[in-house]
């Protein structure tokens, strides 16, 4: 039996075992397999391992998407974690190449994937509070939100959870250095049913603007002079 003689359900099952590139390659062989590739039911789960993968034309975003993971484990993540005003020209150039990639992708998710249940972001140093806020508003069924090493995430995201995370049951904000203990306590107060984890976040050194640092450094000197 030729593969194209299989019914739609069997073909979807076979496609489900393939990675995104393999699905795309197989879809190019005939019109019937292309239709299977374009079936929203095939794309209920998406895993990405770098921002570059988000720009590939080897997947579909649609209302069937329920589980999304973008996890970037690379030495390059350290560059994105450097405070903007401390980056040299090389580091800024590197970040400029993908600074908006994840945010822009998540905005597409907001517009196309209202049934999202789970989102995991790791090493996404340029993801902003505003982006997570919009996603919480656009995906009211979201039950799991896991953020790891996302340095631009602050207590504003925690506040958004208290306002729009009515369905949320699991929240991780690990190694997010601009999360504070006050923000975590507010989550526990307003959303006591949420399973909250925040490894290291509230104990890490938060970012501060250069002018604020100067003021903090000058304060002890003035005390010494007095």
């Amino acid at each position: 039996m030729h593969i194209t003689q299989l019914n739609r359900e069997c073909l979807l099952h076979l496609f489900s075992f393939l990675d995104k590139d393999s699905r795309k390659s197989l879809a190019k062989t005939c019109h019937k397999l292309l239709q299977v590739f374009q079936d929203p039911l095939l794309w209920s789960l998406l895993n990405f391992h770098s921002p570059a993968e988000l720009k590939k034309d080897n997947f579909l975003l649609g209302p069937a998407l329920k589980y999304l993971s973008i996890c970037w484990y690379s030495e390059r993540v350290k560059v994105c974690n450097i405070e903007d005003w401390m980056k040299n020209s090389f580091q800024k150039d590197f970040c400029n190449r993908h600074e908006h990639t994840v945010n822009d992708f998540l905005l597409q998710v907001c517009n196309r994937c209202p049934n999202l249940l789970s989102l995991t972001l790791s090493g996404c140093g340029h993801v902003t509070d505003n982006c997570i806020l919009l996603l919480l508003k656009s995906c009211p069924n979201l039950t799991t939100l896991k953020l790891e090493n996302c340095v631009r995430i602050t207590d504003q995201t925690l506040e958004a959870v208290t306002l729009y995370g009515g369905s949320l049951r699991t929240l991780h904000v690990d190694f997010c250095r601009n999360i504070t203990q006050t923000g975590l306590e507010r989550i526990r107060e307003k959303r006591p049913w949420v399973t909250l984890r925040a490894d290291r976040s509230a104990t890490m050194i938060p970012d501060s603007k250069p002018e604020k640092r100067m003021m903090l450094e000058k304060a002890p000197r003035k005390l010494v002079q007095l």
Side-chain angles (χ1 to χ4, degrees):
M1 177 183 288
H2 194 273
I3 187 174
T4 56
Q5 294 178 283
L6 296 173
N7 61 34
R8 186 64 164 258
E9 289 73 20
C10 288
L11 289 173
L12 282 169
H13 185 65
L14 289 174
F15 264 75
S16 69
F17 290 99
L18 304 177
D19 60 34
K20 294 186 289 294
D21 285 332
S22 298
R23 292 178 184 181
K24 183 68 173 181
S25 298
L26 187 57
K28 292 179 179 179
T29 59
C30 74
H31 183 67
K32 184 174 182 178
L33 295 181
L34 177 60
Q35 289 181 326
V36 176
F37 176 85
Q38 294 173 338
D39 192 323
L41 295 177
L42 184 63
W43 304 101
S44 61
L45 182 149
L46 281 172
N47 294 316
F48 299 94
H49 303 289
S50 77
E53 291 186 16
L54 302 177
K55 296 182 178 181
K56 290 185 176 181
D57 185 26
N58 61 359
F59 62 91
L60 293 181
L61 283 179
L65 181 63
K66 294 185 178 181
Y67 306 95
L68 173 61
S69 171
I70 306 173
C71 297
W72 192 24
Y73 301 115
S74 168
E75 285 295 313
R76 296 179 179 182
V77 173
K78 294 180 180 179
V79 177
C80 300
N81 286 347
I82 299 172
E83 297 173 36
D84 290 340
W85 50 87
M86 295 181 66
K87 292 175 183 173
N88 57 39
S89 57
F90 172 79
Q91 292 165 336
K92 289 179 180 178
D93 180 62
F94 172 78
C95 287
N96 286 339
R97 299 175 194 172
H98 64 268
E99 182 173 3
H100 303 291
T101 301
V102 178
N103 279 314
D104 290 347
F105 179 81
L106 290 178
L107 291 179
Q108 294 183 53
V109 172
C110 291
N111 293 327
R112 303 181 191 179
C113 312
N115 300 313
L116 188 69
L117 297 177
S118 175
L119 173 65
T120 299
L121 301 176
S122 180
C124 299
H126 298 293
V127 171
T128 64
D129 292 316
N130 288 336
C131 191
I132 299 299
L133 167 63
L134 184 57
L135 190 133
L136 287 168
K137 287 183 176 181
S138 304
C139 304
N141 299 320
L142 193 70
T143 60
T144 300
L145 177 60
K146 297 181 180 180
L147 306 173
E148 179 187 31
N149 202 14
C150 297
V151 295
R152 294 195 181 186
I153 295 301
T154 71
D155 286 356
Q156 291 183 34
T157 286
L158 301 183
E159 183 65 24
V161 167
T162 66
L163 296 173
Y164 306 106
S167 298
L168 212 63
R169 293 297 179 270
T170 300
L171 174 63
H172 293 180
V173 282
D174 300 329
F175 297 92
C176 297
R177 66 175 181 246
N178 290 303
I179 293 291
T180 70
Q181 191 62 44
T182 300
L184 295 174
E185 290 173 357
R186 181 167 174 78
I187 285 285
R188 293 188 178 99
E189 176 188 354
K190 297 293 183 179
R191 291 285 187 268
W193 55 85
V194 172
T195 301
L196 177 63
R197 193 180 80 185
D199 287 352
R200 300 289 184 89
S201 291
T203 60
M204 299 176 76
I205 300 174
D207 295 348
S208 59
K209 297 290 184 181
E211 56 269 18
K212 184 177 179 180
R213 286 183 176 177
M214 290 180 65
M215 292 176 63
L216 292 173
E217 290 174 358
K218 288 179 179 179
R221 296 175 188 173
K222 290 182 178 180
L223 290 173
V224 170
Q225 291 174 356
L226 292 173

